[in-house]
Amino acid sequence: MTEQDDEREYDQEYDYVIVGAGVAAASAAKAIRADDPDGTIAVFGADPDGPYYRPDLSKTLWLDPKAVPGAGWLLDPNETDVTLLTDTTVTSLDPGDHTLTTSTGATVAYSQLLLATGAAPNRLGSESPADAQAPGSERIIYYRTVETYRRLRRLAGPGSHVIVVGGGYIGGEIASALAQNDIHVTLVMPTELIQQAMFPEDLAAAVTKTFVDRGVDVVGSTRVDTIVPDAEGGTVTVTSVDGKTFTGDAVVLGLGVSPNDSLAERAGITVDDGIVVDQRLETNTTDVYAAGDVANYYDSLLGRRRAEHVDQAENSGRIAGRNMVAARRATERHVYDYTPIFWSDLFDYGYEAVGDLDARLRTVENLKDDFTQGTVYYLDANDQVRGVLLWNVWDSTDKAKELIRRTEAEHLGDAELARAIEF
């Protein structure tokens, strides 16, 4: 802030402010504290809980009987010396004045700002704002936060019936996890096959068959029209556009997410499917950075993109935090050149992946006949590898990244490509 700014009075002033309280925020706060032991740090989160290791919510906490929710917290405010303000929304931002306003009415001044606002679950088109306040609405769960995990745990005991809407990444994962907890699962999805948008058709068909064999009622090729809770009966009824009805104890919606970039847009910061940042994770506005799910960044292997993965949140948050310290000290900042990985578990299947797993791309497969193991390579129109699926193949993500880098300059025939990563 300028000398004139310093003479003004604010409700709160911090050297570093982080908007958002997810994985990227926690990673940034720790990186700032490591590089600057004395700077003041505040983290503002709209959710009632602080940063949590989100993959555990749909994986470990359902699949590992020894797992406990308390192990997933990522930021101890006392240990890191951070002011953590949860249940607090940042309503406006004035980058020129280096201030923001919160839902409590406070005006907060900052020297360096990180927008780690993440992404919000897409809502059902027929839902109105009043529906969220209707009796029984707690049984309708857009699954993403610790609070939604707690709600689902209360509602989904052994022998209960949960309807999962959406057969993509989160829908498939939570349906699999619930079914392994003696919960009857009905999976309603617009595609014919589970994760059909990511996997080649033969693999998606094998995965879908496994779900059916493991007791999941898979209802494909339809969309949900309405969801109506019965407050007195303690149930919720889902009706599809073709007239099918399903009644259960809860419904979990996995309809994808959209970046929370409206705060930045209103402040004049460039957005385009997320907050656009340069190779140092800085926006077009001085002293304002973005990281995590909301950041539209430049991937050194794959070009400009946005990645909704915890590996991206951890690494981009760390570099953004370090660069905020470097900016205050007028020292050289760090280039963010990382390509993130992601992973999932679907019953006995598990995978790691790098890049764009888009079934619309041409694919080269090297999968065992029983689909228990293999690799899938996703190629663009120039036959450059854009994504690699490592199906029950582990510790090979670095090889996958090197292959993407290699095919930038070298053409590989399909037969050579299929053998590029051994298993």
Side-chain angles (χ1 to χ4, degrees):
M1 290 177 286
T2 67
E3 183 177 347
Q4 182 180 359
D5 290 330
D6 290 338
E7 294 174 355
R8 294 181 56 184
E9 291 187 3
Y10 303 99
D11 296 304
Q12 301 161 26
E13 295 184 57
Y14 299 95
D15 298 319
Y16 308 96
V17 168
I18 300 171
V19 181
V23 175
S27 184
K30 291 176 182 178
I32 291 169
R33 182 56 69 227
D35 285 358
D36 184 351
D38 302 316
T40 55
I41 307 171
V43 176
F44 292 85
D47 292 333
D49 297 292
Y52 195 86
Y53 189 69
R54 189 166 287 152
D56 284 358
L57 300 177
S58 56
K59 297 179 175 73
T60 308
L61 289 174
W62 294 97
L63 302 176
D64 183 353
K66 296 181 181 179
V68 293
W73 300 113
L74 296 176
L75 188 64
D76 183 333
N78 296 321
E79 182 180 302
T80 314
D81 190 19
V82 169
T83 299
L84 175 61
L85 297 122
T86 58
D87 232 351
T88 304
T89 303
V90 174
T91 56
S92 64
L93 169 63
D94 185 345
D97 197 31
H98 279 56
T99 60
L100 54 83
T101 304
T102 73
S103 52
T104 65
T107 299
V108 181
Y110 64 85
S111 172
Q112 301 291 312
L113 176 68
L114 173 63
L115 298 175
T117 45
N122 294 332
R123 316 289 289 192
L124 189 68
S126 61
E127 186 182 33
S128 70
D131 292 336
Q133 307 299 323
S137 60
E138 70 278 358
R139 296 179 179 273
I140 303 172
I141 300 172
Y142 289 89
Y143 198 75
R144 189 165 177 83
T145 65
V146 177
E147 188 276 329
T148 55
Y149 165 77
R150 294 190 190 107
R151 265 200 288 154
L152 186 57
R153 267 295 184 191
R154 290 196 297 268
L155 297 168
S160 62
H161 180 201
V162 175
I163 303 156
V164 177
V165 179
Y169 184 86
I170 189 62
E173 193 168 86
I174 195 62
S176 165
L178 292 174
Q180 293 177 75
N181 281 264
D182 193 26
I183 296 166
H184 177 204
V185 177
T186 298
L187 178 58
V188 183
M189 56 190 189
T191 56
E192 179 185 357
L193 304 171
I194 294 169
Q195 295 201 0
Q196 187 171 332
M198 289 176 58
F199 299 157
E201 186 173 348
D202 54 350
L203 180 57
V207 169
T208 303
K209 182 178 184 302
T210 294
F211 272 63
V212 173
D213 291 345
R214 296 292 287 268
V216 177
D217 292 333
V218 178
V219 183
S221 302
T222 190
R223 294 183 181 275
V224 168
D225 183 24
T226 60
I227 301 175
V228 179
D230 179 354
E232 296 181 0
T235 61
V236 59
T237 298
V238 174
T239 303
S240 66
V241 292
D242 51 359
K244 298 184 179 74
T245 61
F246 314 92
T247 299
D249 299 286
V251 57
V252 177
L253 294 102
L255 305 177
V257 298
S258 298
N260 284 322
D261 56 11
S262 60
L263 175 67
E265 185 174 24
R266 293 196 306 270
I269 296 170
T270 301
V271 301
D272 182 8
D273 182 35
I275 301 171
V276 177
V277 294
D278 63 17
Q279 290 184 288
R280 291 167 178 78
L281 299 175
E282 188 171 14
T283 70
N284 66 313
T285 301
T286 303
D287 299 330
V288 181
Y289 296 77
D293 291 1
V294 77
N296 185 322
Y297 72 103
Y298 185 81
D299 188 302
S300 61
L301 290 181
L302 299 166
R304 187 157 288 283
R305 64 196 294 248
R306 192 172 59 81
E308 298 160 0
H309 308 306
V310 68
D311 193 37
Q312 154 73 355
E314 290 173 333
N315 284 279
S316 63
R318 176 174 54 83
I319 294 300
R322 297 196 67 188
N323 282 343
M324 292 163 75
V325 176
R328 283 197 75 221
R329 293 176 173 172
T331 58
E332 185 174 355
R333 285 174 287 174
H334 306 272
V335 172
Y336 183 63
D337 58 1
Y338 185 72
T339 298
I341 70 167
F342 61 101
W343 66 95
S344 186
D345 297 298
L346 303 169
F347 291 108
D348 296 328
Y349 297 128
Y351 68 85
E352 293 180 332
V354 177
D356 299 329
L357 268 58
D358 186 338
R360 294 172 298 182
L361 297 172
R362 187 172 81 85
T363 58
V364 174
E365 302 174 29
N366 184 17
L367 292 163
K368 290 184 177 180
D369 291 341
D370 60 359
F371 297 100
T372 56
Q373 197 176 30
T375 53
V376 179
Y377 306 94
Y378 297 73
L379 291 81
D380 65 15
N382 298 316
D383 280 345
Q384 179 187 345
V385 174
R386 294 285 307 178
V388 180
L389 172 64
L390 302 161
W391 191 252
N392 282 337
V393 174
W394 309 106
D395 302 320
S396 295
T397 55
D398 285 344
K399 294 177 183 177
K401 293 179 187 181
E402 181 54 40
L403 183 64
I404 293 172
R405 184 177 294 107
R406 178 183 173 188
T407 59
E408 285 181 332
E410 179 183 355
H411 173 78
L412 299 181
D414 288 2
E416 184 179 4
L417 181 60
R419 298 190 302 270
I421 297 177
E422 297 179 353
F423 56 89

